């Protein structure tokens, strides 16, 4: 399973990219807004220069015509840019039209398996089920990933990748991989948490202490 970073913060992207683990980046209007009025095109272009993989830029139009217009513009900024559209019928229409132009789409805000099936049929490059937000409703978000993976596996024509979005904690990453996700997009904080373990810290301390005692003897 590939790891994407779910952020528009360049410092976080630079740091995670330096670990050698990043295969792509996802942004959304909320994440862009957190970057204090920074220019959308400038942020997306810089991310696309930093990470050599799909960089999701999200449309804000509600109609297919607007999504396609935005998508054509964003995709012209850099070859790594892919276009995020919502899981709506207008989104499906936009995916289909953008695919005709050779532009890849990430269909976002997916909350059921039928949305995922139709997005794949329309030609989506990525489907983004929001596991954390499904969990928030009291339903198991990972069950949705499993359902989609089962449906996609049965249909050889489907090449759409399943991206587990709305990842809230390190265990979500493990569960997404086991459930059949192709990608997990993670907040930077969750990746940091995932690499921390008290026994790792204690082990390092112990090894250093033993090493020092050896040099002293
Ligand atoms: O990739 C979508 C993600 O940013 C949504 O996460 O935590 O706002 O549900 P969250």
């Amino acid at each position: 399973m590939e790891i994407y970073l779910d952020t528009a913060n360049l410092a976080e992207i630079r740091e995670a990219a330096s670990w050698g683990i990043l295969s792509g980046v996802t942004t959304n209007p909320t994440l862009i807004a957190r970057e204090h009025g920074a220019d959308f095109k400038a942020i997306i272009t810089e991310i696309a220069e930093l990470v050599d993989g799909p960089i999701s830029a999200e449309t804000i139009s509600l109609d297919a015509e607007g999504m396609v217009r935005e998508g054509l513009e964003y995709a012209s900024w850099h070859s790594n840019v892919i276009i995020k559209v919502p899981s709506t019928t207008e989104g499906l229409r936009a995916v289909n039209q953008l695919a005709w132009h050779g532009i890849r789409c990430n269909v976002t805000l997916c909350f059921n398996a039928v949305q995922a099936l139709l997005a794949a049929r329309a030609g989506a490059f990525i489907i983004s089920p929001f596991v954390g937000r499904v969990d928030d409703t009291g339903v198991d978000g990972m069950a949705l990933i499993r359902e989609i993976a089962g449906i996609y596996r049965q249909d050889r024509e489907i090449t759409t990748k399943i991206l587990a979005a709305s990842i809230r904690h390190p265990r979500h990453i493990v569960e997404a991989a086991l459930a059949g996700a192709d990608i997990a997009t993670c907040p930077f904080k969750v990746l940091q948490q995932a690499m921390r373990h008290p026994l790792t810290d204690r082990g390092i301390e112990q090894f250093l202490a033993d090493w020092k005692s050896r040099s002293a003897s």
Side-chain angles (χ1 to χ4, degrees), residues 6 28 84 130 133 165-166 168 185:
D6 194 28
N28 62 38
K84 243 178 168 181
F130 275 37
R133 292 193 196 183
S166 189
R168 300 279 173 75
T185 191

Side-chain angles (χ1 to χ4, degrees), residues 1-216:
M1 185 181 74
E2 292 183 325
I3 301 294
Y4 287 14
L5 201 57
D6 194 28
T7 187
N9 184 279
L10 294 172
E12 291 179 351
I13 294 166
R14 268 191 213 100
E15 172 69 17
S18 78
W19 303 343
I21 54 144
L22 275 194
S23 299
V25 174
T26 49
T27 69
N28 62 38
T30 305
L31 296 171
I32 296 288
R34 272 187 210 152
E35 298 311 304
H36 309 297
D39 180 68
F40 184 40
K41 180 178 177 180
I43 293 185
I44 294 294
T45 310
E46 191 154 353
I47 297 173
E49 288 294 329
L50 285 171
V51 179
D52 190 16
I55 311 302
S56 291
E58 187 155 347
T59 56
I60 50 158
S61 298
L62 297 178
D63 63 307
E65 198 186 358
M67 291 175 203
V68 170
R69 193 176 49 247
E70 286 180 65
L72 289 172
E73 186 195 340
Y74 306 161
S76 74
W77 295 342
H78 198 286
S79 56
N80 285 346
V81 174
I82 70 168
I83 308 305
K84 243 178 168 181
V85 300
S87 295
T88 60
T89 51
E90 290 299 302
L92 295 180
R93 210 195 310 268
V95 167
N96 192 247
Q97 290 178 24
L98 286 166
W100 191 83
H101 288 277
I103 294 171
R104 297 173 296 175
C105 286
N106 172 352
V107 176
T108 188
L109 290 166
C110 170
F111 291 94
N112 72 48
V114 181
Q115 289 177 319
L117 175 59
L118 298 189
R121 282 277 146 220
F125 174 61
I126 285 174
I127 184 72
S128 290
F130 275 37
V131 294
R133 292 193 196 183
V134 174
D135 284 352
D136 291 344
T137 67
V139 176
D140 178 11
M142 283 307 156
L144 176 57
I145 301 281
R146 274 192 293 279
E147 262 187 3
I148 298 170
I151 290 168
Y152 282 10
R153 220 178 292 124
Q154 283 179 29
D155 189 334
R156 290 215 183 122
E157 285 179 2
I158 293 180
T159 55
T160 308
K161 291 171 188 282
I162 304 169
L163 178 151
S166 189
I167 292 284
R168 300 279 173 75
H169 49 74
R171 191 66 204 163
H172 265 159
I173 302 175
V174 177
E175 288 170 0
L178 293 172
D182 300 292
I183 305 159
T185 191
C186 312
F188 183 69
K189 192 183 73 184
V190 174
L191 289 181
Q192 283 181 314
Q193 282 170 350
M195 285 307 292
R196 263 185 234 127
H197 197 287
L199 290 180
T200 303
D201 295 341
R202 208 185 304 162
I204 291 171
E205 269 171 39
Q206 180 74 55
F207 285 151
L208 287 180
D210 291 346
W211 187 256
K212 270 187 200 146
S213 70
R214 171 199 160 273
S215 328

